[in-house]
Each structure stands twice: as structure tokens, then as C-alpha cells.
Amino acid sequence: MKKRFYILGIGTLLVLTGFVVYQTTPMPVQIPNLWPKPYYDFAHNTPTVEGFELGRKLFYDPILSRDSTISCASCHFQATGFAHVDHELSHGIEGKVGNRNALALQNLIWSDNFMWDGGVNHLDVQALNPITNPLEMDETMGNVIRKLQQHKSYPELFNKAFGTSKITGQLLLKALSQFVIQLNSCNAKYDKVMRKEASFSVQEENGYRLFTTHCSSCHQEPLFNSTSFENNGLPLDPYLNDLGRMKITGNPIDSLRFKIPSLRNCQFTAPYMHDGRFTSLTAVIKHYNELTTQIKTSPSLQVPMQLSANERVDLVAFLKTLTDTEFLFNKTFANPQP
């Protein structure tokens, strides 16, 4: 078995794989002070500039789909928090329509499960789902590897990132991970207020108070999400018949339980919910404000919010302080193609 060693230097990362030595440039991941420890294990996929650039190119390249028309970015637009906004459900090749709204891609290193039902438990294999899903990219890993191996530039890019021009599924997935682990949003107005670099307006301050009272048990600061799955009182869509977490566990108690998504950049990540049924934050808050007690609804939603019209406006004002324009328009994350 070949051993692999990583030697961290001031400006380079030397990697010894068998008898081949290649040099890469470390690319630190931004971890804000006082944030929790990430779940992602960087020791098994050390982030480098070369790995990031390869992952970014792959993320925007439709070569990953069967007919080379759909890329990861087709459903994950940077300006909308790497979510999509032009349809309720994800769209795949040949106009096929998926059965869920595409989740935003941000702060993923702090997650230990992925997809609305938690059906993927590691970031390094998450991309397998859309690549092989018949309603999305509808491709096989074997065909993807074949196309990349025959490509004029990918073998050399893999060689620069991983020290080998022989492309494998594992290296492909690691490259994509090296891109998405850098998609971290942590510089919204909320963050600046917490760092005492800015102040909330009176309306935002009141909205924050309402948020901590009614919303923070599920959408926990500073990530504004949770690793759990909850029933938020949405009735079953008879067309999609999506039972959520129960699809994975087979346990009836998980019926209609879905992943709690992050609220960061939610001003731009509409439509909302697993099926994209709500098109505005106002509609989302209206749902929770009028929610009647149900047996299977999350315990934190058993007490009605009963917010006044002004309070609902204030809550939206606070949610907009979670918008991180630096993240949404960072050219480092944009399509590398001219």
C-alpha cells in the first residue's frame, strides 16, 4: 500500500505519494471565532489551491451530466446562496423535474448529514446523489471518469491537485469537496453586530428578540440551522408524496420530518421548504404564525407564535441581516470560465 505524507510549510504543501513528489499550495478554511468545531475532517482531504480550483471547474462544468447540459451550478447559483430561484423543484437534463427544492450550499463543513432527508452522511460523497439521480444529471461515475480522462485539460489539473493524471471517482469527489468546503458565509450584518462592528436598527433589534423567542430552538445561532429533522406542520403534497426522513429510516415517527436548513442569506434563497411551496419570507412566517397544534409537529411549534403584523415585519427585517453580500458576490467562488 502506498503511503501518503503531508508536510506543511510556510507557502507550500509537499505530498509524497509512492515515489512521486508534487507540490501544492495550502488553502486555509475560514473558521470564525466562537463558532463550533466543524464536522468535516480536513486531514482526509487537505484543502489546497489546486484542489479548490479543480473543484470549482468541475462544479460549473456540465460534463458531469449524461448529455453535458446540467452542472452543479445549474441548481446552485452563487448570488442566491448557491440555491436556485427560478422554480420550486430542481430541474435536470431533458427538462426532467425533481421532487425537492435544491438546498443552499453554505457552511457545509458544520453539517454531519446532507439532503432534506439526511440520506447522505458525508460531504465527500454528497455529489454522487445528483450525478447519478435519473431526474438530475442521470449519469454514471464510470462515464464521468471516462469523459474527464479523455478531456484535454482535466488529467493535468488532477495531476496538479493530487499528483496523478489517472482520474478516479474518489479524487473527483474530493475535488468537489475542496470547492464547497470553502463556501462559508460568516460576514453578514448579524455577524458584524455580534463582533460589535455594527448595530441593529430598532426594527432589527426587535426582530432579533422575536427570533430568539420563537425560532432559535430550531435555527440555532450562529449557523441558524440544526442537524436534526423536524415536522414543521406542512401538509403532505399529494403529488410528490414525500415522507421526508421516514424514507431513510423506515420509522413512522420520522414521517414528514425534514432537515432544518440554514436561514443565512434566506433573503435570496427562495423558494422555501423542501418542496419550494413558499415564495417569500412573509409567506413562511405566515405559515408558522397560523400553525395549529398537531400531534406530530415539532415540540417547539406547539405554542402558536401569534405575532402582530408589525412584529412579522420586524422579524423579516432581522432575517435580512443574515445576508452576506461578500459571500454572494465573491469572485473566488464564481464560474472560472471566461
Side-chain angles (χ1 to χ4, degrees), residues 18 28 42 98 102 129 141 164 169 175-176 247 307 314 318 331 334:
F42 302 104
N129 191 289
M141 285 299 288
T164 176
L176 286 169
K247 178 181 178 182
L307 302 183
D314 291 350
F318 166 71
K331 293 183 179 180

Side-chain angles (χ1 to χ4, degrees), residues 131-150:
I131 290 174
T132 60
N133 190 316
L135 297 179
E136 296 184 50
M137 295 183 176
D138 193 25
E139 183 57 290
T140 67
M141 285 299 288
N143 281 338
V144 171
I145 299 307
R146 178 183 56 79
K147 289 186 290 185
L148 294 176
Q149 197 71 67
Q150 295 173 354

